[in-house]
Amino acid sequence: MSGTVVLTGGVGGAKLVLGLLNTVDPSYVTAIVNVGDDFRHLGLHISPDIDTLLYTLSGKANAAQGWGRQDETWSLLTTLKELGGEDWFLLGDHDMAVHVLRTHMLAQGQTLAEVTRHVASKWGIAATIFPASNDPVATLIDSDEDTLEFQRYFVEKRCAPAVRAVRFSGAETAAPADGVIEAIHAADAVLIAPSNPWLSVDPVLAIPGIRAALQQCSAPVVAVSPLIGGKAVKGPTAKLMGELGLAISNTAIAEHYRGLIDGLLIDEGDECDGQELSIGRTATLMSTLDDKVRVAKAALALAARLA
């Protein structure tokens, strides 16, 4: 295998991968996806970052809403509310079908990677999608309101608690999914998507072997900054950086990835100081498909410059 490998999680990461698939041969793109957001809810195995990528690449994502599926219906959630069930995590009917199938296939002995490959194939996605691990890894938020499971922090409490630290339970004994390390070593370019470095990328890097593979691979490693003008486009990145005592800047992003990346793609109006790091610039806001393609091309161009 060769081509482009991208480490991704969340909406921003899915946008970059979609841009890549409209820039190069999709069969040469491999996405390694965060599983630290995964959790069990109502007895079901839910993989929010994998599903966001699957929905985005198959044209089923609700772009206006920024999460979930387009043309969703809510009969199950309505009935759940009537019966007094937990309704803080919104589950649409179409979304629920994915969770039911995934949970069933896992119970039958298949791995998360096999389930993901099955759904991607059914929906005609030509890219390879690997969960970072088939083993459970749980992002935990140490906050001023106690330790919270990630979805309790992110969805139920809408990121309101102040973050003191982020931990990844299970990561130390998790193994990369089959093919993850091989894909990194065979890649022509490795990209780190503009996902939250602490909440979406670090859970991937915490799995033994993945960080080392990035450090040892021959391909250039390029990250795309999630900041534009000192603010996050979406999500709690800027808030979290402030709570962790970090400057909300591209320099802090570069420092976070020190020793791991060869280049950083930032917005055309921004700066990044303090490191001997190759910097690329483009307009990094990805609202339209053309935007996503532009950012993907700029990231690949920076990687080519560093090869």
Side-chain angles (χ1 to χ4, degrees):
M1 184 185 301
S2 61
T4 301
V5 167
V6 55
L7 274 59
T8 179
V11 175
K15 289 180 176 180
L16 178 64
V17 179
L18 181 59
L20 285 169
L21 265 57
N22 283 274
T23 301
V24 300
D25 184 338
S27 66
Y28 286 91
V29 175
T30 298
I32 299 172
V33 189
N34 171 41
V35 295
D37 294 13
D38 288 21
F39 74 123
R40 291 193 75 85
H41 184 57
L42 302 175
L44 299 174
H45 183 115
I46 298 176
S47 298
D49 281 358
I50 290 175
D51 291 343
T52 294
L53 187 60
L54 290 168
Y55 296 159
T56 299
L57 300 187
S58 63
K60 301 180 188 301
N62 187 326
Q65 185 172 261
W67 56 271
R69 291 186 55 166
Q70 63 182 2
D71 303 323
E72 188 60 280
T73 58
W74 302 94
S75 297
L76 183 142
L77 190 66
T78 299
T79 304
L80 193 65
K81 288 180 180 178
E82 291 173 355
L83 298 176
E86 282 193 273
D87 60 357
W88 61 272
F89 193 86
L90 300 180
L91 292 170
D93 301 328
H94 298 90
D95 192 35
M96 193 68 159
V98 177
H99 307 320
V100 169
L101 178 66
R102 174 186 293 119
T103 304
H104 173 72
M105 293 177 71
L106 290 173
Q108 295 298 308
Q110 298 195 53
T111 67
L112 184 59
E114 290 170 335
V115 177
T116 303
R117 184 162 57 247
H118 170 80
V119 176
S121 174
K122 288 294 185 182
W123 284 348
I125 298 171
T128 299
I129 302 174
F130 290 129
S133 178
N134 288 317
D135 301 320
V137 176
T139 298
L140 299 176
I141 307 296
D142 292 333
S143 78
D144 61 350
E145 296 185 17
D146 208 349
T147 296
L148 301 169
E149 294 179 347
F150 179 77
Q151 296 300 340
R152 293 285 180 180
Y153 160 78
F154 189 72
V155 176
E156 186 178 33
K157 294 182 177 292
R158 299 177 183 274
C159 308
V163 175
R164 305 302 185 217
V166 183
R167 296 182 286 123
F168 310 109
S169 176
E172 65 278 5
T173 57
D178 288 346
V180 165
I181 300 299
E182 293 82 356
I184 293 172
H185 282 301
D188 300 317
V190 178
L191 306 182
I192 298 178
S195 309
N196 187 310
W198 290 267
L199 299 179
S200 296
V201 179
D202 278 2
V204 177
L205 299 175
I207 296 167
I210 295 182
R211 177 182 288 274
L214 263 64
Q215 292 170 327
Q216 296 165 3
C217 71
S218 58
V221 180
V222 169
V224 181
S225 174
L227 300 178
I228 299 177
K231 297 179 180 178
V233 175
K234 182 178 174 62
T237 302
K239 176 176 179 289
L240 183 145
M241 292 177 75
E243 292 165 353
L244 293 178
L246 301 169
I248 304 169
S249 68
N250 289 316
T251 303
I253 298 293
E255 180 63 26
H256 185 72
Y257 288 137
R258 178 186 285 272
L260 195 66
I261 62 173
D262 304 296
L264 181 67
L265 181 68
I266 64 176
D267 189 69
E268 58 188 357
D270 288 349
E271 298 294 333
C272 179
D273 303 317
Q275 280 202 43
E276 294 183 358
L277 190 68
S278 294
I279 300 297
R281 286 182 172 82
T282 192
T284 56
L285 185 64
M286 295 185 284
S287 301
T288 67
L289 180 58
D290 286 345
D291 294 336
K292 300 173 181 71
V293 170
R294 180 188 61 248
V295 175
K297 287 182 175 178
L300 291 175
L302 178 57
R305 203 171 82 202
L306 296 168

